[in-house]
Structure formats: C-alpha cells, structure tokens
Amino acid sequence: MSAVSTTPSGSGNYGAGRMQLTRSFVTVAFSTVVLLIACLIFAPSSVSWGALSGSLPFAAIIAIVGLGQLLVVQQGGFDLSLPGAVSLAVVVSTHFPQQNDALLYQAVLLALAFNLSIGLLNGILVSVFRLNAIIATIGTNALLYAAVFAMSGGVPSVTTDLLATIAGGETLGIPNAVYFALGATALVSFMLKKTVGGRRFEAIGASPAAGEAAGLRVRSYQMMAYVYAQLFYCLAGILIAGITREPTAFQGDSLLLPSVAVVVLGGTSLLGGRGFPISTVLAAFFLNQLSQFALTVGVPYSAQTIIQALALGFGIGVYSLRGSGNVRKTT
C-alpha cells in the first residue's frame, strides 16, 4: 500500500535540510564555474587579476546587502527601504566628517543609529501593525531619502582618508571589502545554523502559525529581521563611501534588485523559511561577474538591470521546478 506525502512550499522541509543546502550550493557553484569558463573563452580580460581586484569590492557590497535582504525574505517579506538605507549611510559617513578622520567614528555611530531606528520602524509596522512589508518599507524608504536630501542637498562629498584606507584598501592583495563580506557571512551562517535562536528564526519563517502554537515570540523574531537587515545595509553604505572616493547621494538605488536576485539564486524561498547565506554570497560573485562579462563583450551598461532581472527570473524558475518535486511517494 502506498501513500503520497507533501512538504510545504515555503522551504519548510527540515528533514531534508542538508540535501537542500547541498543542492542550492551546487546549483550556484556550477553556474559560477560555467560562467568563469565562458569568461576565459570569450572575455579573458574580465577574469584577469586586475579586473577581479577592481570588481570584487562591489561583489562584496552585493553580498552584504544580500545577507540583509536574506533575513527579511526568510520571514516572508521584502525590504524595499534598502536603497534609502544604504544611501543614508553613505551620506552620513561622508558629509558629517567633512574629510576629518577624527570625526569618522562619530559618523559611523550616527549612521548606525539612523539605520537601526529605521529597522525598528520597519519591524513594528510589519510585525506589530501587520502592514504589508512592501508598502511599509516603500514608505520608510521615502523617509530615508528625505533625510538624505536634508543632509546632503543631493551634492556628493569626498570621503575621509581613513575610511578610504579601511574600505578601499587591500590586505595581502585582497580588497578589504571582501574580508568584511566574509566576516558578515560567517556571522550570519553561525547565528542561523548553530544557535537556538537561529533555528527558531527559520522555523518561524517557514510557519508563523506553528511558531505561535509552539509558544515562540513570533512578532519579536519578525521585527528583529528588519533591524538586523539594516545593520548590513549600513555596513554596505559605509564601505561604498570608502571604496568610491566621491560617492553620490543615490548609491543605494542600484542595489535593490541585486539584493533580491542573489537571495533567490542562493536557493532561499521567497515564501520564507530556511536560508542559505553561503550560497547567497557565492551568488553575489556570480551576478557581479556576469555583469563584468556582459560589459566586456560589449553589452551596454544600461542593460545591467535587464541582466539582473533575467538572473532573478532564472533563479525563481530553477527553484520553482525543484519545488515541484517535493511530492514524493513512500511505501
């Protein structure tokens, strides 16, 4: 006699957790290898050390904002306040010090305070007042850009020498931004996979109703996802301010779509649940290298958004097809 069992579509199959992690990592790793081979054949200059050292800091930035977006997506939401949050961190860390290294630490603390406040506001609107995450974060994004204009007037400012050295420098021939991204990845991976709070966080994302039935503080976990995400957006903005000598007040605009794309390419379901930080970071390198490859072969820069959208669609298609295989027969 046979029976058919189904698993939740929101990445709630914890019995197959290791297999899901392996599949997500293998998928993005295989795609990256194929892309690198294509680069070697058709655009070898895009994988030269000079090109990589120039593009890796921006891949690290995408990875960091992707990790922040990952935490929100795991709770079944989207954080559309990312552009304003990153831009505000850029503006605060460049305009407040006015090229004075002694004021840099105060600027960093001020940027953190702004971002944490917005994260708390997002979390309260979504988890306590039950507003739609997209609508709530669009509204806070408007508030963030109002603060950006108020502080900068839309005029860029030169970063401090200290921040340029820390964020834009290299250690052992590797851009410092890469080390920040690796550290963020290690932190998120450890917290999600090796702590009780992390496992509860993923369980609530997979099924908030089950979390409430188990006596977990569902609203607190959902709210903190937005707060933690803002920490990563702030870090990304500060790094951008150091990597780009004279950043504009709108540096975050180009990061929203990539942040969602790398989360999806990394195998995390848009319905929430289990997340894959390492795969997300690898997907950030893949997406950045894909853009470099396209530029090298002559695709105009204006087409970058289309490329990112296609990558997002590819990720959704691949993992949707995989999800259709969750119905299995047992005897």
Side-chain angles (χ1 to χ4, degrees):
M1 186 174 180
S2 64
V4 177
S5 61
T6 61
T7 58
S9 60
S11 294
N13 185 5
Y14 287 88
R18 292 184 181 274
M19 182 61 69
Q20 288 180 356
L21 175 61
T22 301
R23 286 177 177 176
S24 67
F25 181 81
V26 168
T27 299
V28 70
F30 176 76
S31 301
T32 302
V33 170
V34 171
L35 174 62
L36 290 175
I37 293 174
C39 289
L40 287 171
I41 296 174
F42 300 105
S45 62
S46 66
V47 288
S48 65
W49 179 244
L52 288 175
S53 62
S55 65
L56 280 176
F58 298 99
I61 296 298
I62 296 174
I64 291 170
V65 296
L67 289 171
Q69 192 73 257
L70 168 72
L71 298 175
V72 175
V73 171
Q74 282 190 263
Q75 296 303 312
F78 289 99
D79 193 348
L80 302 188
S81 68
L82 184 154
V86 172
S87 297
L88 183 60
V90 170
V91 167
V92 171
S93 55
T94 54
H95 283 72
F96 182 83
Q98 290 297 313
Q99 304 179 49
N100 185 350
D101 289 340
L103 296 178
L104 178 60
Y105 80 96
Q106 296 179 15
V108 171
L109 292 177
L110 184 60
L112 279 171
F114 279 135
N115 283 83
L116 289 176
S117 298
I118 288 297
L120 186 60
L121 177 60
N122 281 336
I124 291 174
L125 291 175
V126 174
S127 65
V128 178
F129 292 100
R130 301 295 188 181
L131 295 183
N132 180 277
I134 294 177
I135 295 174
T137 55
I138 284 178
T140 54
N141 188 62
L143 292 176
L144 285 165
Y145 269 119
V148 167
F149 278 109
M151 181 169 292
S152 68
V155 179
S157 179
V158 178
T159 190
T160 64
D161 292 335
L162 179 59
L163 185 56
T165 300
I166 294 173
E170 294 184 353
T171 302
L172 301 178
I174 298 176
N176 290 339
V178 174
Y179 293 108
F180 282 99
L182 292 176
T185 306
L187 176 63
V188 174
S189 297
F190 175 79
M191 295 302 294
L192 287 180
K193 308 301 180 183
K194 300 298 182 181
T195 67
V196 174
R199 290 191 289 271
R200 289 176 177 174
F201 182 86
E202 292 192 328
I204 289 171
S207 178
E212 289 183 351
L216 300 179
R217 298 190 300 176
V218 173
R219 293 188 181 184
S220 296
Y221 280 94
Q222 291 175 340
M223 179 174 64
M224 292 309 296
Y226 291 89
V227 175
Y228 294 144
Q230 287 291 328
L231 290 175
F232 292 103
Y233 305 156
C234 183
L235 174 60
I238 293 171
L239 290 176
I240 291 173
I243 294 170
T244 307
R245 188 65 178 175
E246 192 173 353
T248 71
F250 312 100
Q251 292 287 156
D253 287 354
S254 61
L255 293 174
L256 179 59
L257 182 58
S259 74
V260 178
V262 297
V263 170
V264 173
L265 288 171
T268 301
S269 172
L270 294 178
L271 300 177
R274 187 178 294 273
F276 305 104
I278 297 176
S279 299
T280 298
V281 172
L282 185 57
F285 173 77
F286 167 83
L287 188 62
N288 186 75
Q289 187 58 37
L290 179 63
S291 297
Q292 295 301 314
F293 172 71
L295 289 173
T296 304
V297 298
V299 177
Y301 183 80
S302 58
Q304 293 300 306
T305 301
I306 298 176
I307 294 172
Q308 294 165 359
L310 290 174
L312 175 60
F314 171 77
I316 293 174
V318 167
Y319 294 109
S320 294
L321 288 174
R322 177 180 303 163
S324 65
N326 280 341
V327 178
R328 61 184 186 278
K329 292 184 178 182
T330 60
T331 56

